[in-house]
Amino acid sequence: IPPVLWQLRDLIHLDLGENHLTGTLSSQVGSLTALKYLGVQTNRLEGQVPTQLGLLRRLEDLSLEENRFTGTLPTQLGALTLLDRLAVYTTRVSSSIPTQIGNLANLTRLYLMENALTGVIPTEFGRLKRVERLFIFENQLSGTLPTELGQMTSLERIHAYVNNLSGTLPSQIALATDLTRIHIRVNWFTGTLPTQLGRLPKLRYFALQLNKFSGTIPTQLGLCAP
């Protein structure tokens, strides 16, 4: 990506996606402070995700997916409070998920799947009241599903399959009554399924195979029928 591009300070939309771009995403990207959309998806970009992205305070959509980024997810992404969509998936990023993501009050779609993310799912996700899709599958996340996920009152889909998650499925997840899909297969969940799942009237897809659940399937799940 040529340095001259970072001099276009009035740009509001920059889409470089689906090419064969190589090299790094320069820290100078932080000079494009008028941007509302930045897309570099589906290229061959390497190196760190620049912390200077946090300077793009007008950004509404950030698409970094399908590249070869490594290192950490910058905590500075939490400063992008106008973001509607954040997509950093199918990369080689290997850090924990920054708790600052919980500051993105306008976010509706969070796509962090198919990376090498470690650590726990931040409890701060409970502040993401507008998120409809939470896709964190195929990482190396551990710990439990936080009870705070029940505070994500707009949540429709949670895909957390193929991780190292454990513990019980929290009954508080039933507070997210717009849920249509819960996909948590190939983890280490244990215990019984909460009867409160019957309070999810829109649930249509529930995948939990290859875990360690025990006990009986609650009859209350029948209340999810249309």
Side-chain angles (χ1 to χ4, degrees):
I1 302 174
V4 68
L5 198 58
W6 313 126
Q7 299 176 22
L8 303 176
R9 305 294 172 83
D10 294 327
L11 274 183
I12 61 172
H13 186 105
L14 178 59
D15 191 347
L16 302 175
E18 300 184 45
N19 284 291
H20 299 284
L21 299 176
T22 58
T24 63
L25 181 58
S26 171
S27 61
Q28 295 180 65
V29 69
S31 65
L32 302 182
T33 53
L35 278 182
K36 293 184 177 181
Y37 175 87
L38 175 61
V40 295
Q41 70 280 5
T42 318
N43 280 292
R44 300 172 185 172
L45 298 175
E46 300 176 330
Q48 295 268 353
V49 177
T51 60
Q52 290 80 5
L53 287 171
L55 300 174
L56 307 181
R57 303 297 175 86
R58 300 180 185 179
L59 211 56
E60 298 173 2
D61 194 322
L62 178 58
S63 292
L64 305 179
E65 68 269 21
E66 296 179 346
N67 278 289
R68 300 172 182 174
F69 294 120
T70 54
T72 63
L73 277 179
T75 60
Q76 290 83 356
L77 294 178
L80 304 178
T81 54
L82 296 182
L83 268 187
D84 173 74
R85 177 181 177 272
L86 175 59
V88 189
Y89 62 84
T90 318
T91 75
R92 300 171 184 174
V93 171
S94 57
S95 68
S96 59
I97 300 174
T99 59
Q100 291 83 355
I101 297 294
N103 297 333
L104 304 180
N106 288 296
L107 204 63
T108 64
R109 288 160 291 170
L110 179 56
Y111 300 130
L112 299 177
M113 63 280 198
E114 296 177 344
N115 293 299
L117 297 173
T118 58
V120 300
I121 301 170
T123 58
E124 288 81 1
F125 276 10
R127 302 205 301 260
L128 300 175
K129 305 299 186 184
R130 297 187 180 183
V131 165
E132 299 169 358
R133 297 187 179 187
L134 174 59
F135 288 5
I136 51 176
F137 58 85
E138 295 189 28
N139 281 290
Q140 299 170 25
L141 298 171
S142 57
T144 62
L145 278 184
T147 59
E148 288 82 0
L149 295 186
Q151 300 169 21
M152 300 176 68
T153 49
S154 298
L155 192 61
E156 297 175 359
R157 299 184 181 189
I158 177 168
H159 290 196
Y161 57 86
V162 191
N163 276 291
N164 293 312
L165 299 171
S166 59
T168 58
L169 185 61
S171 60
Q172 291 87 345
I173 201 168
L175 297 174
T177 53
D178 282 340
L179 273 170
T180 63
R181 288 176 174 247
I182 301 174
H183 198 165
I184 55 172
R185 66 179 176 86
V186 194
N187 279 290
W188 298 94
F189 290 111
T190 56
T192 58
L193 295 176
T195 59
Q196 290 87 346
L197 291 172
R199 300 175 186 171
L200 296 174
K202 300 179 183 179
L203 189 64
R204 297 294 178 266
Y205 188 96
F206 188 30
L208 47 83
Q209 65 267 37
L210 294 173
N211 279 286
K212 301 291 181 181
F213 288 113
S214 58
T216 59
I217 296 175
T219 58
Q220 288 85 348
L221 276 173
L223 301 175
C224 299

